[in-house]
Short mmCIF file of all heavy atoms in Angstrom, two decimals:
data_model
loop_
_atom_site.label_atom_id
_atom_site.label_comp_id
_atom_site.label_asym_id
_atom_site.label_seq_id
_atom_site.Cartn_x
_atom_site.Cartn_y
_atom_site.Cartn_z
N GLU E 835 0.88 -1.23 -0.02
CA GLU E 835 0.10 0.12 0.03
C GLU E 835 0.86 1.24 -0.04
O GLU E 835 0.57 2.21 -0.70
CB GLU E 835 -0.99 0.10 1.24
CG GLU E 835 -2.11 -1.01 1.01
CD GLU E 835 -2.93 -0.84 -0.10
OE1 GLU E 835 -3.26 0.41 -0.42
OE2 GLU E 835 -3.33 -1.73 -0.76
N ARG E 836 1.94 1.26 0.72
CA ARG E 836 2.86 2.37 0.80
C ARG E 836 3.42 2.75 -0.56
O ARG E 836 3.37 3.99 -1.04
CB ARG E 836 3.83 2.27 1.90
CG ARG E 836 4.56 3.56 2.19
CD ARG E 836 5.50 3.49 3.30
NE ARG E 836 6.58 2.44 2.99
CZ ARG E 836 7.67 2.20 3.85
NH1 ARG E 836 7.66 2.85 5.06
NH2 ARG E 836 8.58 1.32 3.54
N ARG E 837 4.06 1.70 -1.14
CA ARG E 837 4.69 1.94 -2.38
C ARG E 837 3.72 2.25 -3.49
O ARG E 837 3.99 3.06 -4.45
CB ARG E 837 5.56 0.65 -2.71
CG ARG E 837 6.79 0.47 -1.79
CD ARG E 837 7.57 -0.71 -2.16
NE ARG E 837 8.50 -0.94 -1.16
CZ ARG E 837 9.36 -2.08 -1.26
NH1 ARG E 837 9.32 -2.79 -2.32
NH2 ARG E 837 10.14 -2.22 -0.20
N ARG E 838 2.53 1.53 -3.43
CA ARG E 838 1.54 1.74 -4.36
C ARG E 838 1.09 3.18 -4.47
O ARG E 838 0.81 3.69 -5.62
CB ARG E 838 0.35 0.85 -4.12
CG ARG E 838 -0.77 0.78 -5.16
CD ARG E 838 -1.81 -0.21 -4.64
NE ARG E 838 -2.94 -0.28 -5.57
CZ ARG E 838 -4.13 -0.77 -5.18
NH1 ARG E 838 -4.12 -1.44 -4.16
NH2 ARG E 838 -5.10 -0.71 -6.05
N ALA E 839 1.01 3.80 -3.39
CA ALA E 839 0.56 5.17 -3.37
C ALA E 839 1.53 6.04 -4.11
O ALA E 839 1.13 7.00 -4.90
CB ALA E 839 0.45 5.71 -1.87
N THR E 840 2.82 5.72 -4.07
CA THR E 840 3.83 6.57 -4.84
C THR E 840 3.74 6.18 -6.25
O THR E 840 3.72 7.16 -7.12
CB THR E 840 5.25 6.25 -4.28
OG1 THR E 840 5.32 6.49 -2.91
CG2 THR E 840 6.34 7.05 -5.05
N VAL E 841 3.57 4.97 -6.58
CA VAL E 841 3.54 4.64 -7.99
C VAL E 841 2.27 5.14 -8.73
O VAL E 841 2.41 5.53 -9.91
CB VAL E 841 3.59 3.01 -8.14
CG1 VAL E 841 3.40 2.61 -9.56
CG2 VAL E 841 4.94 2.49 -7.60
N MET E 842 1.13 5.09 -8.10
CA MET E 842 -0.12 5.46 -8.75
C MET E 842 -0.39 6.86 -8.78
O MET E 842 -1.28 7.30 -9.61
CB MET E 842 -1.11 4.72 -8.03
CG MET E 842 -1.14 3.15 -8.13
SD MET E 842 -2.46 2.29 -7.33
CE MET E 842 -3.79 2.65 -8.48
N ALA E 843 0.30 7.72 -8.09
CA ALA E 843 -0.01 9.13 -8.01
C ALA E 843 0.39 9.81 -9.32
O ALA E 843 1.36 9.39 -10.03
CB ALA E 843 0.71 9.87 -6.95
N PRO E 844 -0.24 10.76 -9.82
CA PRO E 844 -1.52 11.42 -9.46
C PRO E 844 -2.74 11.19 -10.27
O PRO E 844 -3.67 11.92 -10.17
CB PRO E 844 -1.14 12.83 -9.23
CG PRO E 844 -0.37 13.00 -10.50
CD PRO E 844 0.42 11.74 -10.74
N VAL E 845 -2.61 10.19 -11.31
CA VAL E 845 -3.64 10.12 -12.35
C VAL E 845 -4.58 9.14 -11.87
O VAL E 845 -4.34 8.11 -11.43
CB VAL E 845 -2.88 9.71 -13.67
CG1 VAL E 845 -3.94 9.60 -14.76
CG2 VAL E 845 -1.86 10.66 -14.00
N SER E 846 -5.92 9.38 -12.25
CA SER E 846 -7.02 8.48 -11.83
C SER E 846 -7.42 7.74 -13.12
O SER E 846 -7.16 8.17 -14.22
CB SER E 846 -8.17 9.23 -11.39
OG SER E 846 -8.77 10.13 -12.40
N TYR E 847 -8.13 6.50 -12.99
CA TYR E 847 -8.48 5.75 -14.00
C TYR E 847 -9.57 6.55 -14.90
O TYR E 847 -9.64 6.41 -16.03
CB TYR E 847 -9.16 4.47 -13.56
CG TYR E 847 -8.29 3.58 -12.92
CD1 TYR E 847 -8.73 2.59 -12.06
CD2 TYR E 847 -6.96 3.68 -13.05
CE1 TYR E 847 -7.82 1.77 -11.35
CE2 TYR E 847 -5.99 2.77 -12.36
CZ TYR E 847 -6.50 1.82 -11.54
OH TYR E 847 -5.59 0.95 -10.96
N THR E 848 -10.41 7.36 -14.10
CA THR E 848 -11.48 7.98 -14.89
C THR E 848 -10.86 9.04 -15.82
O THR E 848 -11.32 9.18 -16.87
CB THR E 848 -12.30 8.89 -13.78
OG1 THR E 848 -12.82 7.90 -12.87
CG2 THR E 848 -13.37 9.54 -14.46
N HIS E 849 -9.75 9.80 -15.43
CA HIS E 849 -9.03 10.63 -16.29
C HIS E 849 -8.61 10.02 -17.43
O HIS E 849 -8.84 10.43 -18.55
CB HIS E 849 -7.87 11.33 -15.47
CG HIS E 849 -7.02 12.14 -16.34
ND1 HIS E 849 -7.41 13.34 -16.92
CD2 HIS E 849 -5.79 11.83 -16.93
CE1 HIS E 849 -6.42 13.73 -17.63
NE2 HIS E 849 -5.41 12.80 -17.63
N LEU E 850 -8.05 8.78 -17.27
CA LEU E 850 -7.43 8.12 -18.52
C LEU E 850 -8.60 7.63 -19.48
O LEU E 850 -8.41 7.68 -20.64
CB LEU E 850 -6.56 6.97 -18.03
CG LEU E 850 -5.24 7.39 -17.44
CD1 LEU E 850 -4.57 6.16 -16.91
CD2 LEU E 850 -4.39 8.07 -18.46
N ARG E 851 -9.62 7.03 -18.93
CA ARG E 851 -10.70 6.62 -19.72
C ARG E 851 -11.28 7.74 -20.56
O ARG E 851 -11.92 7.47 -21.59
CB ARG E 851 -11.78 5.83 -18.92
CG ARG E 851 -11.25 4.60 -18.28
CD ARG E 851 -12.40 3.67 -17.80
NE ARG E 851 -11.85 2.49 -17.25
CZ ARG E 851 -11.74 2.13 -16.05
NH1 ARG E 851 -12.08 3.16 -15.15
NH2 ARG E 851 -11.37 0.92 -15.65
N ALA E 852 -11.18 8.98 -20.04
CA ALA E 852 -11.80 10.13 -20.73
C ALA E 852 -10.88 10.48 -21.95
O ALA E 852 -11.24 11.40 -22.72
CB ALA E 852 -11.91 11.25 -19.68
N HIS E 853 -9.74 9.94 -22.04
CA HIS E 853 -8.80 10.23 -23.08
C HIS E 853 -8.31 9.08 -23.83
O HIS E 853 -7.25 8.84 -24.15
CB HIS E 853 -7.51 10.87 -22.51
CG HIS E 853 -7.77 12.30 -21.89
ND1 HIS E 853 -8.35 12.35 -20.60
CD2 HIS E 853 -7.65 13.56 -22.41
CE1 HIS E 853 -8.44 13.74 -20.37
NE2 HIS E 853 -7.97 14.42 -21.35
N GLU E 854 -9.41 8.21 -24.29
CA GLU E 854 -9.17 7.05 -24.97
C GLU E 854 -9.01 7.37 -26.49
O GLU E 854 -9.81 7.09 -27.24
CB GLU E 854 -10.27 5.93 -24.78
CG GLU E 854 -10.12 5.35 -23.37
CD GLU E 854 -11.34 4.42 -23.11
OE1 GLU E 854 -12.01 4.28 -24.15
OE2 GLU E 854 -11.54 3.97 -22.00
N THR E 855 -7.89 7.96 -26.74
CA THR E 855 -7.61 8.28 -28.18
C THR E 855 -6.52 7.31 -28.67
O THR E 855 -6.63 6.12 -28.53
CB THR E 855 -7.28 9.72 -28.33
OG1 THR E 855 -6.10 9.98 -27.40
CG2 THR E 855 -8.29 10.72 -27.88
N ASP E 856 -5.47 7.80 -29.27
CA ASP E 856 -4.45 6.95 -29.76
C ASP E 856 -3.78 6.32 -28.65
O ASP E 856 -3.22 5.18 -28.87
CB ASP E 856 -3.50 7.75 -30.59
CG ASP E 856 -4.09 8.27 -32.04
OD1 ASP E 856 -5.12 7.53 -32.25
OD2 ASP E 856 -3.58 9.09 -32.64
N SER E 857 -3.61 6.96 -27.49
CA SER E 857 -2.92 6.35 -26.42
C SER E 857 -3.67 5.18 -25.81
O SER E 857 -3.07 4.19 -25.27
CB SER E 857 -2.54 7.38 -25.28
OG SER E 857 -3.72 7.95 -24.78
N TYR E 858 -4.94 5.27 -25.77
CA TYR E 858 -5.88 4.12 -25.24
C TYR E 858 -5.35 3.46 -24.06
O TYR E 858 -4.95 2.29 -24.14
CB TYR E 858 -6.04 3.13 -26.40
CG TYR E 858 -7.24 2.17 -26.23
CD1 TYR E 858 -8.49 2.59 -26.65
CD2 TYR E 858 -7.04 1.01 -25.58
CE1 TYR E 858 -9.62 1.74 -26.38
CE2 TYR E 858 -8.17 0.25 -25.28
CZ TYR E 858 -9.50 0.59 -25.72
OH TYR E 858 -10.52 -0.21 -25.61
N LEU E 859 -5.36 4.15 -23.02
CA LEU E 859 -4.86 3.59 -21.72
C LEU E 859 -6.02 3.07 -20.77
O LEU E 859 -6.16 3.63 -19.79
CB LEU E 859 -4.02 4.68 -21.02
CG LEU E 859 -2.59 4.85 -21.55
CD1 LEU E 859 -1.89 6.10 -20.88
CD2 LEU E 859 -1.74 3.62 -21.47
N VAL E 860 -6.65 2.10 -21.26
CA VAL E 860 -7.46 1.45 -20.28
C VAL E 860 -6.57 0.63 -19.36
O VAL E 860 -5.69 -0.08 -19.73
CB VAL E 860 -8.47 0.43 -21.08
CG1 VAL E 860 -9.29 -0.37 -20.00
CG2 VAL E 860 -9.47 1.32 -21.99
N CYS E 861 -6.92 0.58 -18.02
CA CYS E 861 -6.00 0.28 -17.10
C CYS E 861 -5.97 -1.27 -16.98
O CYS E 861 -5.20 -1.83 -16.12
CB CYS E 861 -6.02 0.99 -15.79
SG CYS E 861 -5.74 2.69 -16.00
#
């Protein structure tokens, strides 16, 4: 949990799904 918080900051899945263009970053 501690390391995960560092790795995952600061982008949310919702933000990425809202930008499913050429990068298509479904997690």
